[in-house]
Amino acid sequence: HAKNKGKNAYEVFHEEMAHKASKRLALEANLRKALQNNELSLHYQPQIDVRTGRMRGMEVLIRWNCEALGGAVSPVEFIPVAEESGVIVPLGRWVLQTAVRQAAAWRKAGLMEDIDHMAVNVSACQTKDTQLMYEVQALLMETGLPPRLLELEITEGVLMENVNANIALLHKIQAAGIHLSIDDFGTGYSSMAYLKRFPIDQLKIDRSFVNDVPGDGAAIAKAIIAMAHSLNLSVVAEGVETEEQVAFLADAGCDVMQGFYFARPMPAEELEVLLRERRLWAAA
Ligand code: C2E
Ligand code: MG
Ligand code: MG
Ligand code: MG
């Protein structure tokens, strides 16, 4: 960079570090106000049943439009900050509340009949929060949403951080009738032995492997599908963008697909239109 002219490598490095730190602080300060300022919203991305082409579910994805920072901030950027700063606790509670209430409203309108689950992402801090299960169950009681309609997504990395505690938590979730899905599967280090111990319903093949189809990702995706099916788990491929990936995954026996090829994450009003239309995608 021209602006770095005349500075030595250390000075440049130091400035970049300071810049990163102040950016993170700004992010954290604004994030703390995001809830009160009504700057958070939820988007919903359809998940398509490979065999029938129907929408079998949707994943809830948080969006933050921060006025002070001049617009949308990606969850890839702010979720880690929310986790480190503890803001994830009220934020995660808001996500669950908003999503479960939306699902209950759609169900009352008769729009959830074809839908198996609404999937909500749960972060590391939330799994350590002993209140989580009480809150979720209170929410299900309050809204009347059948637990089977709710699916929690926990990343493989989070699950493997504290295996024994997580196995206990997953058993509670399962006993409550809530579905469980392992997110970003293949990026962590779970062995088949661990997978057998986790009471889970589904694996989500990480986007990085789906992106790499055709390529090395293909062999990995096939291996994950075979392993999942041998453990009686269903498989979702995330980040599906091309017709070639759809054809490959369908042929490999993948159960569910999610990605820009089918639909982007969208606001509730737009997803509701697809539900009303009982929109079908061409079965792959
Ligand atoms: P994730 O749970 O693995 O979610 C999938 C991400 O892939 C989403 O990014 C989604 O928009 C994106 N995606 C879906 N299809 C495609 C595709 O075809 N191509 C590409 N390039 N991307 C696709 P998003 O919404 O930016 O979220 C990123 C991550 O942030 C999520 O990854 C999740 O780990 C986290 N996150 C989002 N919402 C929440 C939330 O409410 N709570 C928590 N704890 N984490 C969240
Ligand atoms: Mg997810
Ligand atoms: Mg994922
Ligand atoms: Mg991810």
Side-chain angles (χ1 to χ4, degrees):
H1 290 290
K3 68 167 189 185
N4 290 335
K5 251 189 180 161
K7 290 177 188 162
N8 68 34
Y10 175 75
E11 283 169 324
V12 171
F13 173 74
H14 189 80
E15 274 180 15
E16 276 170 14
M17 289 295 288
H19 178 72
K20 264 195 182 157
S22 74
K23 210 179 144 191
R24 191 194 170 287
L25 280 177
L27 215 61
E28 185 181 326
N30 285 298
L31 197 52
R32 288 188 186 281
K33 294 180 280 187
L35 264 172
Q36 298 99 281
N37 291 352
N38 275 322
E39 292 180 336
L40 300 174
S41 62
L42 297 183
H43 276 193
Y44 300 80
Q45 187 178 32
Q47 299 179 323
I48 312 312
D49 184 309
V50 175
R51 281 160 206 92
T52 62
R54 78 181 168 113
M55 195 195 312
R56 76 102 217 199
M58 62 287 272
E59 178 175 9
V60 176
L61 294 156
I62 193 167
R63 294 292 177 261
W64 179 24
N65 189 32
C66 180
E67 215 189 305
L69 295 172
V73 185
S74 163
V76 177
E77 245 186 287
F78 74 79
I79 290 289
V81 175
E83 282 177 0
E84 285 162 36
S85 61
V87 178
I88 193 75
V89 175
L91 190 145
R93 190 178 291 136
W94 177 84
V95 169
L96 271 163
Q97 251 175 35
T98 311
V100 167
R101 286 182 184 151
Q102 181 60 261
W106 280 335
R107 181 167 173 269
K108 276 176 195 141
L111 297 174
M112 293 289 278
E113 268 148 40
D114 291 344
I115 301 296
D116 296 335
H117 319 285
M118 176 187 276
V120 178
N121 292 288
V122 170
S123 76
C125 299
Q126 286 176 288
T127 62
K128 285 172 198 136
D129 181 0
T130 50
Q131 288 292 96
L132 177 74
M133 275 314 293
Y134 296 107
E135 284 176 19
V136 171
Q137 281 181 296
L139 205 53
L140 293 172
M141 294 279 282
E142 169 202 317
T143 58
L145 189 77
R148 64 174 166 79
L149 284 177
L150 179 62
E151 181 168 81
L152 299 181
E153 291 192 3
I154 303 179
T155 65
E156 183 185 24
V158 166
L159 223 47
M160 296 308 293
E161 255 172 43
N162 195 347
V163 170
N164 288 323
N166 283 329
I167 288 179
L169 174 71
L170 297 198
H171 276 289
K172 282 187 202 159
I173 295 173
Q174 188 192 48
I178 297 163
H179 271 246
L180 270 165
S181 186
I182 301 192
D183 205 352
D184 301 348
F185 189 80
T187 57
Y189 300 92
S190 30
S191 66
M192 192 115 166
Y194 278 129
L195 280 183
K196 268 192 92 146
R197 291 177 60 200
F198 290 131
I200 50 173
D201 303 286
Q202 177 176 283
L203 298 182
K204 293 189 81 173
I205 305 176
D206 190 67
R207 208 168 75 204
S208 58
F209 304 121
V210 176
N211 274 344
D212 197 20
V213 166
D216 291 341
I220 296 168
K222 265 193 178 164
I224 294 175
I225 293 166
M227 180 177 68
H229 286 169
S230 75
L231 293 169
N232 256 325
L233 306 173
S234 73
V235 186
V236 180
E238 58 178 15
V240 179
E241 292 184 354
T242 68
E243 207 170 330
E244 194 175 17
Q245 290 162 355
V246 173
F248 167 81
L249 289 161
D251 186 57
C254 184
D255 305 288
V256 179
M257 294 187 207
Q258 176 183 349
F260 296 170
Y261 177 83
F262 298 99
R264 291 189 174 249
M266 61 187 88
E269 312 84 72
E270 282 176 38
L271 193 98
E272 188 168 319
V273 174
L274 300 184
L275 289 173
R276 284 190 192 284
E277 285 175 347
R278 304 186 130 201
R279 170 72 181 274
L280 283 181
W281 282 262

